[in-house]
Amino acid sequence: MPSLHPLLSAFAPIWAITGVGYVVGRTRLLGPHAETVLNRFVFHVAMPAALFLMIARTPLDRFANPSMLAFAAGTAVAIGLGLLAGKLVFGRKPGELAIGAMASGYVNSANLGIPVTMQVVGDASFVAPVVLFQILLVTPAVLAVLDGGAAGRRALLTLPVRNPILLAAAVGAAVSAAGLHLPAELNRSCELLGGAGVPTALIALGMSLHNRPPADGRSRRAEVGLIVAVKTLLQPLVALAVAGPLLHLPEHQLLTVVLFSALPTAQNVYTYAREYGQGTVLARDAVLWSTLVSMATLSVISWTLGPA
């Protein structure tokens, strides 16, 4: 069974870069508007480049496999519960509801999913279909709600053209479906731009910790706690129930699905919240606390479901 050390190694860069961001924010090294500028760079430049390249390189038929049914079931239950709790218990508005729901079920599939599954399973191929599922199905729904609140009367049909994340995903899917091979120069350019996305987003996340607003009482703490519990406990339990008793997946596939479902909330959620000014504090706290708690839950999963 894997020790705790490999998992700590996977999480260490996340905390280190976030810590650098906190120092940068505390010292005001980049000026008063740096957090906003960095988030807009991630949203409008780096993240679209990374998503376009990843989807363009991935055959779309990899999206359809039994393991994805279990992962999708866990995601649907987590997001649905996040929506219900946000609306009925915490009285969130539509944009904040979308962020809360996304924080409840949107996993950190790439920069944590790859190292964690490589350490525990020895295979990170499940990353591609998870990314496709989240970018092509979950993200458009969330961004449609966020953009609808911000856009007023602008037609929803123009959203993919106006939103760089959805535009990059759509163009990447078209390239993949057509079987086109990207020029080496375009590949390299997108790799360089996309590679800046994760560290920049983490720097911005760390900077936001220095400007913490006054706590708004037990309600927000309870909401963050519920989101973290749904993300790190309920979502993998639902995936386990579907992948095991219902689909009877082989042991290595079962472990992979449950591990991916237990990954913490992706920092993308904070980037979207910051860009649209909806549920920013909720998204930030969900990312931080789910990342911390998932170190324990992922360890338990690897010990209980992993090979002897």
Side-chain angles (χ1 to χ4, degrees), residues 18-35:
T18 302
V20 170
Y22 175 80
V23 174
V24 170
R26 185 176 180 83
T27 59
R28 297 188 177 274
L29 180 64
L30 301 181
H33 306 296
E35 185 188 339

Side-chain angles (χ1 to χ4, degrees), residues 120-263:
V120 178
V121 185
D123 178 16
S125 60
F126 195 56
V127 170
V130 168
V131 170
L132 288 177
F133 172 75
Q134 294 195 140
I135 293 301
L136 299 182
L137 294 181
V138 179
T139 301
V142 172
L143 292 184
V145 174
L146 292 172
D147 195 87
R153 298 182 178 179
R154 286 183 290 179
L156 191 59
L157 292 177
T158 65
L159 177 59
V161 179
R162 292 183 286 104
N163 188 293
I165 301 294
L166 299 185
L167 180 60
V171 175
V175 171
S176 175
L180 301 177
H181 295 284
L182 300 176
E185 295 80 7
L186 179 59
N187 263 306
R188 184 57 179 156
S189 298
C190 289
E191 286 175 353
L192 289 172
L193 283 174
V198 170
T200 305
L202 291 173
I203 290 289
L205 180 65
M207 292 178 68
S208 73
L209 297 176
H210 175 60
N211 299 314
R212 295 179 67 91
D216 53 1
R218 295 180 180 178
S219 176
R220 185 179 65 81
R221 292 196 295 269
E223 187 173 10
V224 172
L226 177 62
I227 287 174
V228 172
V230 168
K231 178 70 220 62
T232 59
L233 297 175
L234 180 64
Q235 187 172 354
L237 285 175
V238 173
L240 175 63
V242 175
L246 293 182
L247 297 179
H248 303 288
L249 295 181
E251 289 184 0
H252 72 282
Q253 292 183 23
L254 176 67
L255 174 60
T256 300
V257 170
V258 177
L259 276 175
F260 263 87
S261 299
L263 290 170

Side-chain angles (χ1 to χ4, degrees), residues 16-187:
I17 298 175
T18 302
V20 170
Y22 175 80
V23 174
V24 170
R26 185 176 180 83
T27 59
R28 297 188 177 274
L29 180 64
L30 301 181
H33 306 296
E35 185 188 339
T36 299
V37 173
L38 291 178
N39 269 288
R40 291 187 67 82
F41 168 76
V42 173
F43 186 84
H44 290 275
V45 180
M47 194 180 295
L51 293 177
F52 163 74
L53 191 61
M54 180 174 290
I55 295 175
R57 289 173 168 177
T58 305
L60 296 183
D61 57 6
R62 294 182 65 177
F63 176 75
N65 63 75
S67 297
M68 280 305 303
L69 292 177
F71 180 83
T75 301
V77 170
I79 288 178
L81 186 58
L83 272 174
L84 287 175
K87 183 175 180 63
L88 301 179
V89 179
F90 301 105
R92 290 285 186 176
K93 297 177 181 179
E96 297 171 334
L97 273 178
I99 291 297
M102 194 179 199
S104 301
Y106 199 95
V107 306
N108 194 334
S109 57
N111 59 307
L112 269 181
I114 291 175
V116 168
T117 52
M118 283 300 297
Q119 292 285 357
V120 178
V121 185
D123 178 16
S125 60
F126 195 56
V127 170
V130 168
V131 170
L132 288 177
F133 172 75
Q134 294 195 140
I135 293 301
L136 299 182
L137 294 181
V138 179
T139 301
V142 172
L143 292 184
V145 174
L146 292 172
D147 195 87
R153 298 182 178 179
R154 286 183 290 179
L156 191 59
L157 292 177
T158 65
L159 177 59
V161 179
R162 292 183 286 104
N163 188 293
I165 301 294
L166 299 185
L167 180 60
V171 175
V175 171
S176 175
L180 301 177
H181 295 284
L182 300 176
E185 295 80 7
L186 179 59
N187 263 306

Side-chain angles (χ1 to χ4, degrees), residues 261-288:
S261 299
L263 290 170
T265 303
Q267 66 267 10
N268 296 13
V269 180
Y270 174 74
T271 299
Y272 300 151
R274 189 71 175 78
E275 174 68 19
Y276 286 96
Q278 299 280 349
T280 306
V281 176
L282 181 66
R284 182 200 63 197
D285 290 352
V287 171
L288 291 172

